[in-house]
Amino acid sequence: MGYIRCKGREKRSNVYKPPPDSNWNWRNICKVKERLSGGYQNGLWIHDAKGYSIRSGYDWLQGMHPPVQWYKDVWGGWIVPKHSMVGWLIKLEALNTREKLYRHGISDSDMCVLCEEDTESHAHLFTSCQFSTQILRELENWLHLQVQGPHGNYSKMQRKVCSMAWLAYCYVIWTERNNNRIELQVKRPSLVLKHLIQVIRGRIQNLLPPRVKSTDAQWLISLDIKC
Ligand SMILES: [Zn+2]
């Protein structure tokens, strides 16, 4: 890899430069080779003991990023995959909220479309909007749990349900907010809550293990879930 074959001769890649008038493909091949040559020492690929592979080359070019601490809050467990996507964007504050659209001159207002009382930011939409928090409070009453911690004395199953329920709630609020922008009418919180409970109940019912602890069983019965 430290060498490049050119017109039957081998030249050091860090020496060889393709002529400016050479073929576009050839110049790009040389560019890639030049980049990868930084991963070699004494002709050996230094990022994998087994030698160069497409995967190790790709990882090296991408750069190694440590996993974010909160990835388990968003992926895996009982969380619905499409809810994970919205959860991921919320963690990165990457949803196109009106606050952001207004800042970029795309929206003529930054007001929350659900309550019309405050700026529609990520924090507002999911944790302080009057419309949303009413739904969250009712959801927590139904579950007999605080969806967003502390979860110290909760069973493993209850913790799984809390993670799943929180992202289901965020997904439903974000969907509702998008529908409202298009249809210009706000659904009653009780209707949104009813749909949210259906989603959560269905998810628990589908993923329930064959055996559950008696304390979990009592809790599930209180949610009208058969076990
Ligand atoms: Zn609001």
Side-chain angles (χ1 to χ4, degrees):
M1 192 68 190
Y3 292 85
I4 192 164
R5 185 169 289 281
C6 176
K7 292 185 179 175
R9 288 180 301 153
E10 283 188 339
K11 295 187 175 187
R12 292 288 303 175
S13 63
N14 58 355
V15 172
Y16 176 79
K17 296 275 182 227
D21 60 345
S22 61
N23 178 287
W24 183 88
N25 288 327
W26 176 244
R27 277 185 282 126
N28 276 292
I29 289 168
C30 291
K31 210 184 278 177
V32 171
K33 192 166 172 57
E34 194 68 44
R35 237 182 125 188
L36 283 173
S37 67
Y40 281 81
Q41 244 174 31
N42 301 325
L44 294 173
W45 180 247
I46 56 174
H47 301 286
D48 191 337
K50 292 178 192 163
Y52 179 80
S53 65
I54 290 173
R55 183 176 184 162
S56 67
Y58 178 80
D59 287 345
W60 179 67
L61 286 172
Q62 286 285 92
M64 299 304 283
H65 303 288
V68 289
Q69 295 298 312
W70 43 263
Y71 79 96
K72 278 188 182 169
D73 299 342
V74 174
W75 301 106
W78 286 8
I79 299 166
V80 178
K82 69 178 176 182
H83 299 174
S84 291
M85 286 308 298
V86 168
W88 186 259
L89 294 173
I90 293 170
K91 288 279 188 187
L92 297 174
E93 299 212 344
L95 292 175
N96 283 327
T97 58
R98 286 188 104 190
E99 180 194 40
K100 197 184 282 184
L101 297 175
Y102 182 69
R103 211 175 339 118
H104 291 108
I106 299 167
S107 172
D108 55 4
S109 165
D110 64 355
M111 260 313 132
C112 171
V113 294
L114 296 173
C115 69
E116 294 179 334
E117 285 186 0
D118 208 341
T119 302
E120 189 193 89
S121 62
H122 286 79
H124 171 78
L125 262 178
F126 304 106
T127 59
S128 63
C129 175
Q130 225 177 60
F131 179 90
S132 312
T133 49
Q134 187 182 341
I135 293 168
L136 183 60
R137 263 199 315 273
E138 295 294 327
L139 175 67
E140 289 182 325
N141 286 343
W142 174 69
L143 282 170
H144 313 295
L145 299 173
Q146 275 193 300
V147 171
Q148 279 223 295
H151 297 155
N153 57 345
Y154 291 177
S155 69
K156 197 176 167 186
M157 181 185 287
Q158 286 175 327
R159 285 201 290 270
K160 275 184 180 179
V161 169
C162 282
S163 302
M164 179 265 284
W166 169 251
L167 288 191
Y169 156 79
C170 291
Y171 180 87
V172 165
I173 294 298
W174 183 243
T175 307
E176 199 51 39
R177 174 267 186 202
N178 289 336
N179 291 343
N180 289 340
R181 277 202 81 201
I182 298 162
E183 296 164 15
L184 301 175
Q185 51 181 321
V186 181
K187 226 183 258 172
R188 274 185 289 132
S190 57
L191 283 178
V192 180
L193 176 71
K194 194 176 168 189
H195 167 67
L196 180 57
I197 287 177
Q198 267 175 1
V199 170
I200 294 170
R201 188 185 272 133
R203 187 71 176 163
I204 298 173
Q205 196 78 68
N206 285 341
L207 296 173
L208 214 51
R211 283 185 181 183
V212 295
K213 287 196 297 189
S214 62
T215 46
D216 281 334
Q218 281 171 13
W219 170 64
L220 290 167
I221 289 166
S222 74
L223 306 181
D224 200 19
I225 293 171
K226 294 183 191 108
C227 55

